Amino acid sequence: MQLDTTTKSLPVYEALASKVRLSIIQQLSVRAMNVRELAEAVGLSSAIMTMHIKKLEKSKIIRTEMVPGKAGTQKLCMLDVEQINILFPPKTENPIKYHETVLSVGHYTDFEVEPTCGIATPEHIIGEFDEPRFFLDSDRVNAKILWFSKGFIEYKIPNFLMKNEMPKTLEISMELSSEAPFTNNNWPSDITFHLNQIELGTWTSPGDYGDSPGKFTPNWWPNVVNQYGLLKFLRITEEGTFMNGVKLSSMTITDVDIRSKQWVFRISVPEHAKNVGGVTIFGSNFGNYNQDILFRLFHSTDQI
């Protein structure tokens, strides 16, 4: 979930501004619970707990489902957020603007993948599972999800930076998970990122998530395979390269030939990695975030 400092993010801030609701989040991080169980765990009545649940549900921090219980139906509560990022506005005395490029998952320019692997559009699987040749199918440009156990996928991105614009940060956001046979929420994978042949660092994905359907995953999608991932923000700055605020390497924006007319971005799972657990890339119409691979180059402008 990404927040900002506008009023549209206020319901989330209000939902978190409560010791009781923070305690509820802690309880649901362990397992899904019904209202009565939560009330007993926190030490409140079910009526008061229902009010807190509505607040968290409105903010989309949790979601609820009506499921069969011992005495009829019950409301089951589950955590629906892995992490929250807050985007602050740039300082007004030195305004930061950005160039944005949205790249579809299927618009790769090179690849080398090994099974388990596959590729699909929002309407259908392209070819067959576990057959790398279908990554060359002409329909791949419409793909919105792909996965492989090891190897790499590579994209070329145009660079619209002007001569009088000073690059500050390149932010690349995408929804990712590991790639396990079927699914496995505990399936670590070391995913490495390169830009213009420079290794930026490695992030370890915790698992290949299939415990619940992705919010935007099509209804026809098999429920025994990957359903959603984690929204990750890879930021190359003047201080180094970071993944969701955690430093991956000392590679800075000046180290990656940021002014080249096009960038080459690679996502890989090397065969020599400690955790060779594959990667799944979710685009729009799949997963929990309904976005493709998003590039934002933040810059300041020299006053001429």
Side-chain angles (χ1 to χ4, degrees):
M1 179 184 291
Q2 180 163 310
L3 306 179
D4 55 25
T5 55
T6 65
T7 55
K8 69 179 183 180
S9 298
L10 199 55
V12 179
Y13 297 131
E14 291 176 344
L16 294 173
S18 162
K19 290 183 179 180
V20 171
R21 290 192 287 275
L22 290 176
S23 178
I24 293 170
I25 291 170
Q26 290 294 330
Q27 295 292 332
L28 294 180
S29 70
V30 179
R31 65 181 179 91
M33 302 172 71
N34 61 35
V35 175
R36 179 184 56 80
E37 291 171 328
L38 281 169
E40 291 176 355
V42 179
L44 297 173
S45 68
S46 292
I48 294 176
M49 177 55 64
T50 298
M51 294 171 59
H52 286 292
I53 292 300
K54 287 181 178 178
K55 194 90 171 179
L56 287 167
E57 193 174 15
K58 181 181 178 182
S59 68
K60 298 183 180 180
I61 292 175
I62 71 169
R63 59 187 172 90
T64 61
E65 294 180 5
M66 299 304 295
V67 299
K70 293 182 179 179
T73 59
Q74 60 178 341
K75 179 177 282 191
L76 191 65
C77 307
M78 57 204 77
L79 201 58
D80 205 27
V81 171
E82 291 284 343
Q83 58 192 12
I84 294 176
N85 300 288
I86 302 175
L87 184 63
F88 285 88
K91 295 179 180 179
T92 55
E93 64 269 19
N94 185 24
I96 301 291
K97 300 179 181 180
Y98 61 84
H99 296 291
E100 178 176 288
T101 300
V102 179
L103 201 65
S104 185
V105 168
H107 287 195
Y108 47 85
T109 53
D110 197 8
F111 72 94
E112 185 177 300
V113 302
E114 294 187 22
T116 54
C117 62
I119 184 170
T121 74
E123 290 76 34
H124 59 86
I125 303 292
I126 297 176
E128 303 171 3
F129 283 166
D130 300 335
E131 179 47 76
R133 287 180 296 177
F134 287 107
F135 276 63
L136 288 171
D137 191 288
S138 60
D139 199 20
R140 70 173 179 80
V141 296
N142 300 311
K144 294 296 185 179
I145 186 173
L146 64 81
W147 63 96
F148 54 89
S149 64
K150 61 181 176 180
F152 72 86
I153 201 86
E154 199 168 80
Y155 299 87
K156 289 184 178 179
I157 306 97
N159 181 7
F160 297 108
L161 192 70
M162 305 297 289
K163 286 185 177 180
N164 66 324
E165 295 172 343
M166 301 295 107
K168 298 298 183 182
T169 296
L170 176 62
E171 177 185 273
I172 309 168
S173 63
M174 56 211 143
E175 185 175 352
L176 300 172
S177 77
S178 308
E179 163 48 31
F182 299 103
T183 66
N184 189 332
N185 285 17
N186 184 22
W187 189 266
S189 183
D190 297 335
I191 302 171
T192 300
F193 305 92
H194 288 76
L195 185 70
N196 297 337
Q197 288 75 55
I198 301 297
E199 183 174 328
L200 300 173
T202 298
W203 167 69
T204 301
S205 169
D208 180 14
Y209 301 102
D211 54 311
S212 62
K215 294 178 182 177
F216 301 99
T217 299
N219 292 331
W220 62 265
W221 186 249
N223 58 15
V224 295
V225 296
N226 17 34
Q227 297 294 317
Y228 65 92
L230 305 177
L231 185 62
K232 307 307 294 183
F233 291 84
L234 182 67
R235 293 185 176 96
I236 310 164
T237 75
E238 295 172 318
E239 287 76 39
T241 298
F242 301 81
M243 179 67 86
N244 288 67
V246 177
K247 193 169 187 177
L248 293 187
S249 76
S250 59
M251 288 299 167
T252 68
I253 199 163
T254 59
D255 295 326
V256 295
D257 193 18
I258 199 65
R259 286 194 174 275
S260 58
K261 293 183 178 180
Q262 67 176 19
W263 305 317
V264 179
F265 180 61
R266 175 179 288 200
I267 303 171
S268 67
V269 180
E271 61 181 0
H272 58 75
K274 179 181 178 181
N275 300 295
V276 182
V279 61
T280 302
I281 308 173
F282 298 83
S284 55
N285 298 299
F286 278 94
N288 279 352
Y289 295 96
N290 203 32
Q291 74 161 62
D292 293 303
I293 306 174
L294 181 63
F295 294 79
R296 283 180 174 171
L297 179 59
F298 293 85
H299 64 86
S300 59
T301 304
D302 276 353
Q303 302 298 322
I304 300 176

